[in-house]
Amino acid sequence: MVSVYLGVFMAVLGIESSAHTLGIGIADHGRIVANVKRMYDVGDRGMIPSKVADFHAKNIGRLMKEALQHCGLGIGDIDAIGYTKGPGIGSCLRIGQLAALALSERYRLPLYDVNHAVAHIEITKHMFGLSDPLVLYVSGGNSQILAIEEEPYRHYHVYGETFDIGVGNMLDSFARSARLDPAWGSTVAKVAEGGSYVELPYTVKGMDFTFTGLLTSAMKALKTRDLKDVAYSLQETAFSMLCEATERALLLKGKKELILCGGVAQSKRLREMLDIMAASHNAKFCVAPNEFNADNGAMIALVAEKMLEAGVKARIERCTINQKYRIDSVRIEW
Ligand code: FE2
């Protein structure tokens, strides 16, 4: 991990609670010194927002203690707090925000609102020392192709995205309809091993894509075809769509660095396909370890630290939650 020690100790604590993972991380000059998490067990019923929020509320105190103990710090050693403002599930985001507000108020610490997608991207950029990569961000609720644009303000511009559901939720819905075990994305990958291709709809419009038609067709195909073949075809089709759209953006923007991040970046097959595509254009392809593609508090701490170092004024009135917090509305001030 890239670390620049500036000679002055500074610890920033980050709270992630946007979905079923509750994470607490601590960053110290770009070094991740703690990253602990607890995950709500979604079972086979999916996420029930109020139950997940209860889980986060019950666990946040002890998880914070665990994070501090991990790096031998006390709460008095923390210099700033960051929390996930969105996007995410409202009741879950609220638990992280309230804990952050309480800590900030009690210990008079500056408080920073962090966009979840920005955090996934920034921790990957930071680890590989990249300054201006093209990004494929893929998670349950999101699938976007992004890169920094300077106008009208410095932000992550969305070059392409899903017109309907995120690729992760698409894989989860398919797995549930096929009555597969939870940990759905990886279960689909396991079932798909050795499958044969069944034709399914492939929808890419420029750098945008849609997944619901593909999902519906795959669910229908389950009635007549082997699960293994349908799972294989679904995965190959969805990931090929993402690859095609990303390749178009890579060439259009003339980028020489590509990063893959977000929960679905843990997929070996998607990594493999993008790696081949990037290599064919002499572009460097980077993916962070799974610990940082799964939701985590370290990435929130890291971005809050970047905001603090960039001199972003911590303003309590902007420390709200926003379930649909668009990445392109965030000013990147570092
Ligand atoms: Fe995430």
Side-chain angles (χ1 to χ4, degrees):
M1 191 170 302
V2 180
S3 167
V4 182
Y5 189 67
L6 301 178
V8 184
F9 183 80
M10 180 165 68
V12 178
L13 184 141
I15 304 171
E16 158 60 32
S17 69
S18 63
H20 66 311
T21 301
L22 176 68
I24 307 286
I26 299 174
D28 166 24
H29 291 103
R31 241 171 8 112
I32 303 303
V33 294
N35 190 28
V36 295
K37 59 176 87 172
R38 292 238 205 305
M39 228 191 284
Y40 173 81
D41 181 3
V42 295
D44 53 7
R45 293 179 306 165
M47 270 191 261
I48 301 164
S50 60
K51 300 260 183 235
V52 188
D54 282 347
F55 173 86
H56 290 353
K58 234 176 264 170
N59 283 284
I60 197 161
R62 72 184 79 142
L63 199 60
M64 219 168 274
K65 260 189 213 153
E66 204 179 296
L68 290 165
Q69 272 166 7
H70 185 86
C71 51
L73 297 179
I75 190 72
D77 299 314
I78 298 297
D79 297 286
I81 307 278
Y83 75 97
T84 305
K85 177 176 187 158
I89 301 168
S91 56
C92 300
L93 290 168
R94 186 68 83 194
I95 302 298
Q97 178 224 17
L98 286 177
L101 279 165
L103 281 178
S104 158
E105 178 77 17
R106 169 71 180 79
Y107 295 97
R108 298 182 178 279
L109 297 171
L111 180 59
Y112 292 101
D113 53 328
V114 176
N115 178 284
H116 182 90
V118 167
H120 271 300
I121 297 171
E122 288 295 328
I123 199 160
T124 310
K125 273 170 73 172
H126 178 76
M127 283 182 160
F128 293 95
L130 307 177
S131 57
D132 189 23
L134 185 76
V135 178
L136 175 60
Y137 168 56
V138 275
S139 66
N142 292 286
S143 299
Q144 293 175 319
I145 299 168
L146 311 124
I148 288 274
E149 285 271 338
E150 300 296 336
E151 299 297 335
Y153 51 87
R154 186 169 163 81
H155 68 287
Y156 281 103
H157 183 81
V158 180
Y159 289 102
E161 65 185 320
T162 176
F163 280 153
D164 43 39
I165 56 174
V167 66
N169 284 352
M170 190 273 290
L171 291 169
D172 290 353
S173 299
F174 172 78
R176 262 200 301 268
S177 73
R179 297 205 163 78
L180 297 176
D181 290 336
W184 295 300
S186 56
T187 316
V188 172
K190 233 175 260 162
V191 171
E193 276 170 30
S196 305
Y197 194 74
V198 174
E199 195 141 341
L200 291 174
Y202 179 103
T203 318
V204 175
K205 303 263 186 215
M207 288 176 281
D208 297 311
F209 28 82
T210 66
F211 290 116
T212 44
L214 171 62
L215 174 62
T216 308
S217 298
M219 283 159 132
K220 270 190 200 151
L222 279 177
K223 291 180 186 147
T224 53
R225 313 295 291 249
D226 271 2
L227 169 61
K228 178 196 285 268
D229 293 344
V230 181
Y232 170 79
S233 310
L234 177 72
Q235 198 180 250
E236 290 296 300
T237 307
F239 292 171
S240 300
M241 284 162 50
L242 290 170
C243 259
E244 181 192 325
T246 306
E247 182 174 31
R248 192 161 291 128
L250 193 75
L251 296 179
L252 184 76
K253 299 308 296 172
K255 299 283 187 193
K256 284 294 164 199
E257 293 162 342
L258 170 65
I259 67 173
L260 172 66
C261 62
V264 184
Q266 296 172 89
S267 160
K268 272 193 200 152
R269 180 61 182 143
L270 181 57
R271 289 177 184 210
E272 187 178 66
M273 288 165 94
L274 287 165
D275 195 19
I276 293 168
M277 183 275 283
S280 73
H281 299 295
N282 297 317
K284 183 176 172 185
F285 176 58
C286 303
V287 196
N290 282 346
E291 177 185 0
F292 301 108
N293 284 313
D295 289 347
N296 65 92
M299 65 184 190
I300 305 300
L302 187 83
V303 171
E305 189 181 50
K306 281 182 187 290
M307 292 167 85
L308 178 67
E309 284 175 345
V312 175
K313 208 163 170 350
R315 287 190 288 124
I316 204 82
E317 62 273 20
R318 60 183 257 179
C319 291
T320 54
I321 59 164
N322 181 350
Q323 286 177 252
K324 297 191 185 303
Y325 192 18
R326 286 277 302 183
I327 189 169
D328 41 12
S329 70
V330 181
R331 281 176 191 271
I332 304 299
E333 314 214 37
W334 51 89

